[in-house]
Amino acid sequence: MGNYNEKMTHTLEIDNFSHRNTPFTSPLFSSGSGNWFVTVYPKGTLTSKNMSMYLYVPDPLLRPRSWARDTWFRFVVVNQSSVLKSKSFEAFRIFDKGRSGCGFTTDLCLSKLQEKKFLVNDKLKIEVHISVSYNRGAKDPYELPEKKNEMVNVNGFQVLDSQVKSANWIFTTYPETALHIHPRDPQVKTAYMNILLTMYEKLYNSPLHEFTDEDLANVFKGLLDLRQAGFKMGWLRKRLEKVFAAREKLSGLEAQARELGKQLKDLKLQISTLRSSC
């Protein structure tokens, strides 16, 4: 018997989300006191078409009768256009042999996930936060090592392992970017680098039709913040101008297509009226 006050965050990234008609089950991961896995139903279950998410303990029947975990957990469905608009679902549950899973039917259907910008490149991100307040019985015999986000030094900036490729591209292609920045505090530098990498991913890797006026305004504000901190942002400003021009052109083509569709509809109606009068 033991007390555990451990917290962890595990991130799920589900590709091709809108095309999934079957449940997505994560690999096993560890909270530090045991193993878990998550199952996500992208298009709901029999009772609802909204996305559902469940946290499970693996192999509950193989555990001692007295085994149990008093657990608080939270799912965060990340809004990738604005973290402040992310949706959180949390609960407390005692997991034991007879109750090995717990979860939520959300208020997020596929169309809402798309409209509210939870999906980027058809990928959904879900954070899983777990805190085990009390653990009765034996710990998992084959506990997985807890996966941590490794920080890597790139050109004097601390970035996540998943961001190394993008950061290296920036500093190799545009080495002047951060030569004369003002901040010296490591945490402040990391914060600015996160802003830069977020804008880079948005401008270089997001489909044009997904850009909104708010997205462009956020990128413009980020550019101003980075310039004031001493970053050389000419290359990213040019990219923003290119994206803005392409988006305006796309908007014009879409408007023409709508007008053409309206004219075609009117023409079909006129033809139908003519036929009925002959």
Side-chain angles (χ1 to χ4, degrees):
M1 181 180 295
N3 287 293
Y4 299 92
N5 293 303
E6 302 167 8
K7 293 185 179 181
M8 62 82 64
T9 300
H10 182 77
T11 302
L12 307 178
E13 294 189 354
I14 308 176
D15 294 314
N16 302 315
F17 187 85
S18 65
H19 299 288
R20 290 183 179 270
N21 296 311
T22 56
F24 171 88
T25 298
S26 75
L28 290 182
F29 59 90
S30 175
S31 71
S33 60
N35 299 331
W36 308 85
F37 69 91
V38 171
T39 296
V40 178
Y41 296 82
K43 296 178 182 176
T45 58
L46 293 176
T47 58
S48 173
K49 292 185 178 180
N50 292 345
M51 180 181 69
S52 299
M53 307 173 289
Y54 293 87
L55 178 67
Y56 289 100
V57 173
D59 302 321
L61 298 180
L62 300 181
R63 301 173 187 277
R65 182 184 297 274
S66 61
W67 176 88
R69 288 179 193 160
D70 297 3
T71 306
W72 171 89
F73 68 98
R74 177 163 57 101
F75 290 127
V76 179
V77 184
V78 179
N79 188 304
Q80 299 181 65
S81 67
S82 174
V83 176
L84 296 178
K85 296 179 181 178
S86 299
K87 294 276 291 186
S88 183
F89 305 86
E90 62 183 79
F92 175 82
R93 179 66 180 261
I94 299 176
F95 291 84
D96 56 28
K97 285 176 68 73
R99 296 173 294 182
S100 61
C102 183
F104 310 92
T105 297
T106 72
D107 58 349
L108 299 170
C109 60
L110 178 59
S111 60
K112 188 172 183 179
L113 289 167
Q114 293 170 327
E115 292 168 5
K116 300 298 183 181
K117 304 296 183 182
F118 286 93
L119 297 178
V120 171
N121 297 330
D122 208 21
K123 177 186 290 186
L124 184 72
K125 291 185 179 181
I126 301 174
E127 292 181 353
V128 186
H129 301 252
I130 299 174
S131 177
V132 178
S133 59
Y134 201 69
N135 197 14
R136 296 184 290 280
K139 295 174 70 174
D140 286 5
Y142 301 107
E143 184 180 333
L144 296 172
E146 186 171 342
K147 185 177 180 180
K148 298 180 180 179
N149 287 323
E150 297 292 337
M151 301 298 289
V152 180
N153 187 301
V154 177
N155 212 52
F157 292 87
Q158 294 296 313
V159 301
L160 293 173
D161 184 61
S162 59
Q163 298 173 318
V164 169
K165 184 177 179 180
S166 298
N168 277 331
W169 183 90
I170 290 172
F171 290 124
T172 300
T173 310
Y174 302 102
E176 73 280 5
T177 298
L179 287 178
H180 305 292
I181 62 171
H182 309 316
R184 289 291 178 262
D185 182 271
Q187 291 184 337
V188 176
K189 289 176 63 177
T190 298
Y192 276 114
M193 179 52 61
N194 283 333
I195 294 174
L196 174 57
L197 289 169
T198 298
M199 293 194 303
Y200 166 79
E201 291 294 337
K202 188 68 180 176
L203 290 176
Y204 280 82
N205 296 325
S206 293
L208 194 60
H209 68 272
E210 290 187 359
F211 277 90
T212 65
D213 291 340
E214 183 181 1
D215 291 333
L216 294 173
N218 288 337
V219 172
F220 181 73
K221 182 180 181 302
L223 275 175
L224 293 179
D225 291 341
L226 289 170
R227 286 180 59 187
Q228 290 176 358
F231 287 82
K232 299 297 183 182
M233 290 284 93
W235 62 274
L236 201 62
R237 175 184 55 78
K238 291 178 181 178
R239 181 69 181 187
L240 174 60
E241 291 172 351
K242 184 177 179 180
V243 169
F244 183 79
R247 183 173 174 272
E248 280 199 321
K249 183 178 179 180
L250 179 63
S251 298
L253 291 174
E254 289 175 343
Q256 291 177 20
R258 286 194 296 270
E259 180 60 28
L260 184 60
K262 182 177 180 299
Q263 293 176 6
L264 185 59
K265 185 177 180 180
D266 291 342
L267 180 59
K268 287 181 178 179
L269 181 61
Q270 292 174 14
I271 292 174
S272 177
T273 303
L274 181 62
R275 284 175 177 171
S276 62
S277 62
C278 293

